Amino acid sequence: MQHKVKILVVEDDINLANNIAEGLRKAGYAIKYTGTAEGANYLLGLERYDLILLDIGLPGKDGLDFCRGLRDHKQEIPVIIITGRIGENCEIEGLNTGADSYITKPFSLEYLKAKIQAVMRRVRNQRESMPKAGPFWMDPTVYKFCINEKAIYLTPRLFLIMEILIRRAGEVVPRDELAKFVWGDNGILTADRNINTQVCKLRQVLDAFGNSRCIETIPHRGYRLNTNVFTSK
């Protein structure tokens, strides 16, 4: 069954929010909407969304602060700003907070759908070229590791271990091969001690997201990323 793209609309103009929601639902999207940044944070805590349509002029915390907060907390979900503010400086400010695209009101539903498709296509193309397995994906060019849409900090060594395990998910990766990938030829000399310590640290990081069991120890051989025990905590 094809995944239905889930979009969170954050817009305090109820009529506009209803029109956007109705039009996008007819186009096959799953829509939830709220009129405040606080409401958006609550909904984001309940389920995962594929994209956010975000108004800037919200009551209370405005859209720019909300978007900045998402990025500060390593939330990588794509954001399209929708606003009545016109001008290059406004657009620059919105993009600099971490938004992926920008639409000025008024706009047609067809234009909005084209923007959504363009952003989702760009995200999809980026992801397809990255190592991924289950809820894990990474971008080795910028040392970014994510579980679903949340970026997780890993030390350089843990990142390298996770990278080779993801690239060879389901296979047993020997300890000496892991050690060589992380430390070079010198790593093989102390492979067991170094790798065991680092894998233990990696499991501790993953445990916060319910995924520590996915790295399996295969006695006398090495480690395997088991794609059958992923969770989406």
Side-chain angles (χ1 to χ4, degrees), residues 2 11 16 23 26 30 34 40 55 65 74 81 88 92 94-95 110 150-151 158 163 167-168 173 175 186 194 204 209:
Q2 187 175 10
E11 168 61 66
L16 178 58
K26 288 180 179 178
T34 180
D55 184 28
D65 285 339
K74 309 301 181 185
I81 284 178
E88 187 178 81
I92 290 171
L95 295 174
E110 292 304 312
K150 185 172 179 59
L158 297 187
E163 180 181 352
R167 289 186 184 277
R168 294 176 56 181
V173 182
R175 283 186 173 84
N186 293 332
N194 288 338
Q204 289 173 354
F209 301 90

Side-chain angles (χ1 to χ4, degrees), residues 39-211:
N41 280 323
Y42 173 76
L43 291 174
L44 286 170
L46 295 179
E47 59 182 320
R48 178 183 167 218
Y49 292 86
D50 297 297
L51 183 138
I52 297 175
L53 297 177
L54 176 64
D55 184 28
I56 290 180
L58 299 172
K61 187 176 186 178
D62 72 18
L64 293 178
D65 285 339
F66 172 76
C67 186
R68 192 176 294 112
L70 286 177
R71 301 314 185 217
D72 287 345
H73 287 87
K74 309 301 181 185
Q75 295 287 338
E76 299 297 321
I77 180 172
V79 174
I80 298 177
I81 284 178
I82 51 176
T83 181
R85 300 181 189 179
I86 301 173
E88 187 178 81
N89 289 338
C90 292
E91 184 170 353
I92 290 171
E93 185 179 15
L95 295 174
N96 283 341
T97 64
D100 297 88
S101 192
Y102 192 99
I103 301 178
T104 54
K105 304 173 185 177
F107 51 82
S108 69
L109 179 63
E110 292 304 312
Y111 182 67
L112 176 60
K113 289 193 293 185
K115 279 281 191 178
I116 292 171
Q117 290 166 4
V119 169
M120 295 304 298
R121 184 168 55 248
R122 184 166 66 244
V123 170
R124 185 168 57 252
N125 289 341
Q126 290 172 344
R127 298 270 178 85
E128 286 176 351
S129 64
M130 298 174 187
K132 55 186 176 294
F136 304 142
W137 62 272
M138 57 186 7
D139 183 353
T141 63
V142 292
Y143 273 85
K144 178 188 289 184
F145 169 65
C146 293
I147 300 178
N148 292 320
E149 299 301 326
K150 185 172 179 59
I152 309 299
Y153 173 75
L154 294 178
T155 65
R157 287 175 179 171
L158 297 187
F159 187 94
L160 289 173
I161 293 171
M162 198 67 199
E163 180 181 352
I164 192 171
L165 290 174
I166 287 176
R167 289 186 184 277
R168 294 176 56 181
E171 301 178 21
V172 178
V173 182
R175 283 186 173 84
D176 58 354
E177 191 172 333
L178 276 170
K180 186 174 182 179
F181 188 73
V182 176
W183 288 281
D185 291 334
N186 293 332
I188 297 176
L189 299 176
T190 55
D192 282 349
R193 184 176 73 250
N194 288 338
I195 287 297
N196 289 348
T197 299
Q198 296 301 315
V199 169
C200 181
K201 292 178 180 179
L202 182 56
R203 283 174 171 152
Q204 289 173 354
V205 173
L206 299 180
D207 186 52
F209 301 90
N211 285 291

